[in-house]
Amino acid sequence: MVITTSLFIISFGLELEGYFRARPRLLYNISLVNLQSVDPLITYFDSRGLLNVKLGDENIKLISRVDLIDNAVWGYNIRGASDAPLAQVISFNDIVGKEVPPIKIKRLYLDIRTKIGAIMAGFMPSHFGLGMYVNSGDSIYNDYGDTYARIAFATKPFGKDSNLITAIFFDKVVEGAVIQEGSSDILDADTDDLGIAALYNNDFWKGGFYSTLRFQETSLQSKAFLIDAYFETKTKFYLALELATLLGRFQVFQDQTLNISSFGGLVRAGYKFSWIFPYAEFGYASPPGNNEFSLDTNRRGTELKGFRFHPDYDPALILFNFIGGSKVSQPVLKGFSNILESRSVFSAYYLKINNQIKVQNAFVIPSLLLAFDSKNSKFLGVEPDLEIRNKLLSEKREEGKESDYNLFLSLRMGLLIPGKQLKEVERPGEQGTEESPVFGIVGLIGYEF
């Protein structure tokens, strides 16, 4: 794009990419309980748009992500509205009635390319490995995604043609109020991350590590160390591995020290034929300790051992996505909903058998998941799923390159047969468990550009 005035000419590029999606959903018996006068069938539609904007040239770009009507439920759905039958307009709210801003700028950062490497600063995404722990959430199927207040420098230490890229970064995690209103005291609630990462990528495999050291200035004994290692092959024999551990201790309150030691990992193995790709996946998230500090209820405790996968990493349609491995009375988790969504893999292990079958322009993906509680090995459930993806329209930039835009349909169906662990734990006010299985259908029509 060229802007011309009578005094000077400014040349810059403008790149736009993103997607729009609309999803119909049908969920049956999602609460796993018998509640009086409550219909076990839930149906609704939601929509989301995402726009990535890049402004600049090859040396310097200003990049932003704009969420448009982020997962708003269709219709007039303000919680507790008594005049809903007479409504004539829609509202922008999520499934629990919380208002959704029509436009939300989620990220904004500067990307500068120099002869020695790239410098980035601002509110930016981060993604590593298979997305088990650090996930940018930019896929058309994702809902959340990580955004960091970060300064980063990335380079290829052995030259621009090298297969190795390294990075060092600083994240501001917690700042608190810089100056407390009504007081002359300057607060210091700083919690920061210092991190390094490396990724090696050639024609046959890629792998590396992502590591951070978190510390809090107000407490010299507050430090936590994260290491996330990843490996993935690019050959017909497919093998992928990601392992992450979080270690350290934090002084949560003046009279309480929190010891952290959690671990999670997953491994995949399969073989890529010309039209079929079967693989098996095993995932593990370490169980909570005997005196666990609860991130959901902020309950006091002295240890944090339970590991949690990223909410955008969901191996099944229902289990760990709509229903988690345990129930709490008032969950406070990431995402647009804190009731039905964002039950990520935590304190559990699972085995997933997956098969991706290519038929013309469509993919048929049957899968089977078996999951157990990682503390006492109680059975969480078994879930067979079926997904069908179909590209309706695809325009290629160049031969062999990815599509410039895609219009496609997706349909996922799942049946969860809950195990003993899910049935025996009840929230306050629940009157008994439901013996029937959980059923879900999620459709999607999406346009990527």
Side-chain angles (χ1 to χ4, degrees), residues 271-278 354-358 364:
Y271 192 86
K272 297 180 180 179
F273 297 93
S274 59
W275 59 278
I276 189 171
F277 175 31
N354 195 86
N355 198 3
Q356 183 172 292
I357 306 169
K358 185 177 181 180
V364 179

Side-chain angles (χ1 to χ4, degrees), residues 83-144:
D83 58 343
L86 304 178
Q88 297 181 2
V89 295
I90 66 168
S91 63
F92 293 148
N93 296 85
D94 63 20
I95 61 175
V96 295
K98 183 179 179 181
E99 185 175 359
V100 174
I103 299 177
K104 180 180 179 181
I105 300 177
K106 189 170 184 178
R107 296 168 183 164
L108 182 65
Y109 64 100
L110 201 60
D111 187 341
I112 305 170
R113 302 300 171 100
T114 70
K115 293 182 179 180
I116 61 172
I119 302 171
M120 291 162 283
F123 298 92
M124 68 187 70
S126 186
H127 190 96
F128 182 76
L130 302 173
M132 179 192 76
Y133 194 76
V134 182
N135 196 312
S136 63
D138 289 328
S139 166
I140 197 169
Y141 296 97
N142 295 153
D143 288 298
Y144 313 106

Side-chain angles (χ1 to χ4, degrees), residues 42-339:
I42 300 174
T43 59
Y44 64 97
F45 287 73
D46 66 16
S47 289
R48 179 194 202 181
L50 185 148
L51 182 64
N52 291 316
V53 182
K54 300 179 181 179
L55 181 64
D57 56 29
E58 60 181 6
N59 295 321
I60 181 170
K61 291 182 180 180
L62 182 65
I63 303 175
S64 68
R65 167 178 155 177
V66 182
D67 288 358
L68 307 172
I69 313 179
D70 185 12
N71 286 325
V73 176
W74 289 15
Y76 185 71
N77 59 306
I78 296 177
R79 186 176 184 180
S82 59
D83 58 343
L86 304 178
Q88 297 181 2
V89 295
I90 66 168
S91 63
F92 293 148
N93 296 85
D94 63 20
I95 61 175
V96 295
K98 183 179 179 181
E99 185 175 359
V100 174
I103 299 177
K104 180 180 179 181
I105 300 177
K106 189 170 184 178
R107 296 168 183 164
L108 182 65
Y109 64 100
L110 201 60
D111 187 341
I112 305 170
R113 302 300 171 100
T114 70
K115 293 182 179 180
I116 61 172
I119 302 171
M120 291 162 283
F123 298 92
M124 68 187 70
S126 186
H127 190 96
F128 182 76
L130 302 173
M132 179 192 76
Y133 194 76
V134 182
N135 196 312
S136 63
D138 289 328
S139 166
I140 197 169
Y141 296 97
N142 295 153
D143 288 298
Y144 313 106
D146 290 330
T147 298
Y148 292 84
R150 171 176 291 180
I151 299 174
F153 173 73
T155 186
K156 292 185 174 182
F158 300 111
K160 64 178 182 179
D161 297 326
S162 170
N163 294 321
L164 177 66
I165 183 171
T166 60
I168 182 171
F169 51 90
F170 168 80
D171 294 343
K172 173 59 70 174
V173 182
V174 175
E175 180 64 48
V178 178
I179 299 179
Q180 185 177 3
E181 185 177 359
S183 172
S184 60
D185 296 333
I186 298 179
L187 303 180
D188 185 6
D190 292 1
T191 303
D192 305 315
D193 279 353
L194 289 178
I196 57 174
L199 182 68
Y200 185 87
N201 189 0
N202 61 24
D203 295 334
F204 305 100
W205 65 276
K206 59 181 177 179
F209 70 90
Y210 177 103
S211 181
T212 60
L213 174 64
R214 174 167 296 188
F215 56 93
Q216 190 176 58
E217 290 291 344
T218 54
S219 175
L220 296 179
Q221 61 177 321
S222 290
K223 288 182 174 62
F225 176 73
L226 164 72
I227 179 68
D228 188 344
Y230 154 76
F231 172 83
E232 185 176 18
T233 63
K234 297 182 178 181
T235 59
K236 288 187 176 181
F237 172 72
Y238 178 72
L239 179 65
L241 175 71
E242 184 168 359
L243 303 172
T245 184
L246 186 62
L247 304 169
R249 60 186 304 182
F250 258 81
Q251 187 172 342
V252 183
F253 305 104
Q254 289 185 356
D255 59 343
Q256 179 187 10
T257 298
L258 178 66
N259 294 305
I260 304 170
S261 58
S262 63
F263 171 80
L266 63 89
V267 59
R268 296 178 189 163
Y271 192 86
K272 297 180 180 179
F273 297 93
S274 59
W275 59 278
I276 189 171
F277 175 31
Y279 71 85
E281 175 176 316
F282 176 79
Y284 174 81
S286 61
N290 295 325
N291 190 16
E292 183 84 354
F293 178 87
S294 175
L295 295 175
D296 299 328
T297 60
N298 200 29
R299 180 178 63 82
R300 282 177 173 249
T302 60
E303 55 188 13
L304 180 61
K305 293 185 176 181
F307 190 88
R308 186 185 298 271
F309 281 26
H310 193 279
D312 277 323
Y313 193 91
D314 48 352
L317 175 65
I318 300 172
L319 188 60
F320 304 127
N321 188 11
F322 292 102
I323 296 178
S326 64
K327 298 179 182 180
V328 293
S329 58
Q330 294 180 338
V332 181
L333 303 174
K334 284 184 177 180
F336 63 91
S337 161
N338 62 358
I339 301 298

Side-chain angles (χ1 to χ4, degrees), residues 356-359 361-365 387-391:
Q356 183 172 292
I357 306 169
K358 185 177 181 180
V359 182
N361 291 329
F363 288 93
V364 179
I365 310 173
E387 180 178 3
I388 301 173
R389 299 181 184 180
N390 182 27
K391 291 187 177 180

